[in-house]
């Protein structure tokens, strides 16, 4: 086993220089073959990572893929909770992520100790948690959902069942509206989706009359309300590929545009910039998740080479967290989602 320097451990990723002239993509693929490793990448990561991955998908698809893989090593190019979900589903496999700092503002907005008190303050409620949570929060959960299956899974509970939904208040409100429920909501949000505004979308609609507005349900209520199509990243992607429309204004993390454009090269995709884009003096007008973008080809190369950083979840947490995740996978399978 190669030595992992203390400075790397402190940083949470390996910043060893890659050998000059090396073809990173070819080397990554070679190591995957040699080590029987599989690379899973979320749609929000940078294009080179999506290109080198064995599989790209939304949160639900990635969890499914991990649950079924025969690989010895899973490399998760995404964020930390996704690595944890893979480890919980595959406790005997080595799960790597290129950068241990790739957190998620939504998962961070729901610390397990505080969520436990919230659950205790609502006796008699079942707990529905979005997959964007730590494994510790999942141990307090009855069933996990993703944005692809939240409506159907919430509807699978009896109409009078009292439910807590966490941590995304925007998704929770949206699901309450769709299902006519009054789930008690945890007050959390994602820093990327919260920054989309009605104003910026109206500006784009003026520039591109006739374009369809697509929004992820993690966006704020008024943005969701004005969208023509609301859905998970996979649902939005499928819509653009199958629709007869040709121009789309996209209110979700801009990484999804790579796959949208690849699937429909003849169509036009316009990323919605964040509300405060001018005031921040940003050069890139895209709304990007800083955590997803911590994944780079260099870190991926080093992570495969050194087989570190590894995602660790205690056996006690795995034992409890696996139940609500498996329940989600079973219900989704049964309902054909
Ligand atoms: P989905 O992948 O379920 O669409 O969720 C979006 C997201 O924010 C992932 O972190
Ligand atoms: Fe978390 Fe938002 Fe980034 Fe998704 S886009 S990983 S919810 S911070």
């Amino acid at each position: 086993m190669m030595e992992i320097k203390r400075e790397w451990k402190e940083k949470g990723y390996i910043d060893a220089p890659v050998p000059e002239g090396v073809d990173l993509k070819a080397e990554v693929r070679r190591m995957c073959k040699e080590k029987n490793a599989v690379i899973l990448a979320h749609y929000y990561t940078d294009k080179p990572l999506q290109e080198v991955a064995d599989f790209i998908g939304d949160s639900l698809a990635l969890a499914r893929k991990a649950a079924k893989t025969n690989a010895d090593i899973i490399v998760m190019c995404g964020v930390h909770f996704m690595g944890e979900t893979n480890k919980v589903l595959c406790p005997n496999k080595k799960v790597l992520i290129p950068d241990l700092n790739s957190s998620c503002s939504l998962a961070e907005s729901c610390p397990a100790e505080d969520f436990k008190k919230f659950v205790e303050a609502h006796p008699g409620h079942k707990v529905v948690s979005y997959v964007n949570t730590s494994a510790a929060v999942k141990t307090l959960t009855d069933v996990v959902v993703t944005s692809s299956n939240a409506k159907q899974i919430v509807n699978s509970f009896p109409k009078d069942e009292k439910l807590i939904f966490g941590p995304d208040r925007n998704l929770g409100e949206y699901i309450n509206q769709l299902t006519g429920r009054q789930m008690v909501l945890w007050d959390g949000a994602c820093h990327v989706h919260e920054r989309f505004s009605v104003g910026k979308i109206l500006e784009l609609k003026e520039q591109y009359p006739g374009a369809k507005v697509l929004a992820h349900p993690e966006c704020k209520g008024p943005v969701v309300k004005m969208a023509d199509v609301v859905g998970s990243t996979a649902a939005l992607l499928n819509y653009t590929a199958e629709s007869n429309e040709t121009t789309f204004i996209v209110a979700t993390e801009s990484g999804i545009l790579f796959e949208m454009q690849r699937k429909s090269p003849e169509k036009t995709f316009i990323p919605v910039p964040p509300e405060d884009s001018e005031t921040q003096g940003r050069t890139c007008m895209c709304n990007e998740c800083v955590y997803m973008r911590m994944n780079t080809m260099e870190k991926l190369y080093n992570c495969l080479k050194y087989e570190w950083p590894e995602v660790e979840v205690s056996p006690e947490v795995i034992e409890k967290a696996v139940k609500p995740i498996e329940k989600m996978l079973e219900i989704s399978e049964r309902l054909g989602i």
Side-chain angles (χ1 to χ4, degrees):
M1 190 57 66
M2 296 171 93
E3 190 213 344
I4 310 298
K5 291 185 187 170
R6 208 181 61 189
E7 63 189 81
W8 296 339
K9 284 191 184 156
E10 281 164 7
K11 282 187 175 142
Y13 63 93
I14 300 174
D15 62 354
V18 296
E20 220 162 288
V22 75
D23 178 343
L24 279 179
K25 193 173 172 187
E27 264 309 287
V28 163
R29 291 312 321 162
R30 188 194 60 74
M31 285 192 279
C32 278
K33 202 165 174 205
E34 180 188 296
K35 296 172 185 250
N36 190 26
V38 66
I39 301 174
L40 309 182
H42 192 273
Y43 289 129
Y44 294 168
T45 51
D46 277 332
K47 192 176 180 188
L49 295 156
Q50 295 194 36
E51 283 173 347
V52 81
D54 293 277
F55 184 78
I56 53 173
D58 72 347
S59 308
L60 177 62
L62 294 172
R64 276 189 169 137
K65 203 71 190 173
K68 291 193 178 136
T69 185
N70 292 322
D72 296 315
I73 298 177
I74 300 172
V75 189
M76 184 67 235
C77 293
V79 288
H80 192 263
F81 77 78
M82 294 177 174
E84 278 193 335
T85 302
N86 295 345
K87 185 67 187 174
V88 167
L89 287 168
C90 312
N92 300 323
K93 295 187 191 296
K94 191 177 260 189
V95 177
L96 306 173
I97 53 171
D99 188 337
L100 276 178
N101 305 299
S102 55
S103 175
C104 161
S105 55
L106 181 51
E108 295 287 322
S109 72
C110 188
E113 319 79 65
D114 298 343
F115 193 63
K116 186 165 187 278
K117 288 183 199 143
F118 186 71
V119 171
E120 284 165 359
H122 296 89
H125 286 64
K126 290 268 163 46
V127 181
V128 181
S129 291
Y130 196 25
V131 70
N132 299 39
T133 45
S134 64
V137 165
K138 291 184 176 85
T139 66
L140 306 164
T141 295
D142 291 290
V143 63
V144 168
V145 299
T146 74
S147 48
S148 281
N149 58 24
K151 178 183 151 202
Q152 293 90 333
I153 291 185
V154 166
N155 268 339
S156 72
F157 283 95
K159 261 273 171 233
D160 56 353
E161 186 86 64
K162 290 187 194 154
L163 300 176
I164 286 173
F165 185 92
D168 192 275
R169 62 168 176 270
N170 295 327
L171 177 64
E173 267 168 28
Y174 178 65
I175 301 298
N176 269 346
Q177 279 163 22
L178 289 184
T179 61
R181 308 239 174 185
Q182 288 183 323
M183 298 188 291
V184 180
L185 307 181
W186 178 265
D187 190 15
C190 151
H191 76 294
V192 176
H193 291 92
E194 280 264 300
R195 289 168 71 212
F196 290 116
S197 67
V198 169
K200 288 279 178 208
I201 297 175
L202 285 177
E203 277 172 29
L204 289 173
K205 269 175 80 97
E206 252 179 55
Q207 266 176 272
Y208 301 92
K212 290 285 164 199
V213 176
L214 315 181
H216 195 281
E218 286 174 25
C219 296
K220 288 185 280 195
V223 169
V224 167
K225 214 171 243 167
M226 76 183 294
D228 298 298
V229 183
V230 180
S232 65
T233 41
L236 299 180
L237 174 65
N238 290 343
Y239 174 79
T240 59
E242 284 160 18
S243 162
N244 290 328
E245 305 291 337
T246 55
T247 310
F248 306 91
I249 294 169
V250 185
T252 188
E253 215 273 2
S254 56
I256 187 67
L257 268 71
F258 302 131
E259 189 60 9
M260 285 179 169
Q261 197 72 75
R262 200 188 64 78
K263 283 210 150 123
S264 309
E266 74 292 359
K267 297 182 183 173
T268 305
F269 299 94
I270 301 121
V272 181
E275 187 172 21
D276 51 353
S277 56
E278 274 124 3
T279 51
Q280 283 197 341
R282 288 157 61 97
T283 46
C284 168
M285 290 294 280
C286 294
N287 197 355
E288 293 180 349
C289 173
V290 286
Y291 305 109
M292 288 280 183
R293 305 309 172 119
M294 284 176 178
N295 294 280
T296 64
M297 281 299 284
E298 288 75 14
K299 286 181 194 166
L300 171 61
Y301 167 87
N302 278 323
C303 154
L304 262 166
K305 182 170 169 183
Y306 290 85
E307 299 185 23
W308 192 88
E310 192 171 349
V311 177
E312 287 173 25
V313 185
S314 75
E316 301 75 46
V317 169
I318 290 180
E319 196 187 331
K320 287 187 191 158
V322 74
K323 291 179 189 150
I325 302 175
E326 281 184 342
K327 196 164 174 189
M328 167 186 79
L329 294 175
E330 275 162 31
I331 300 176
S332 301
E333 197 82 9
R334 180 155 44 83
L335 298 179
I337 301 163

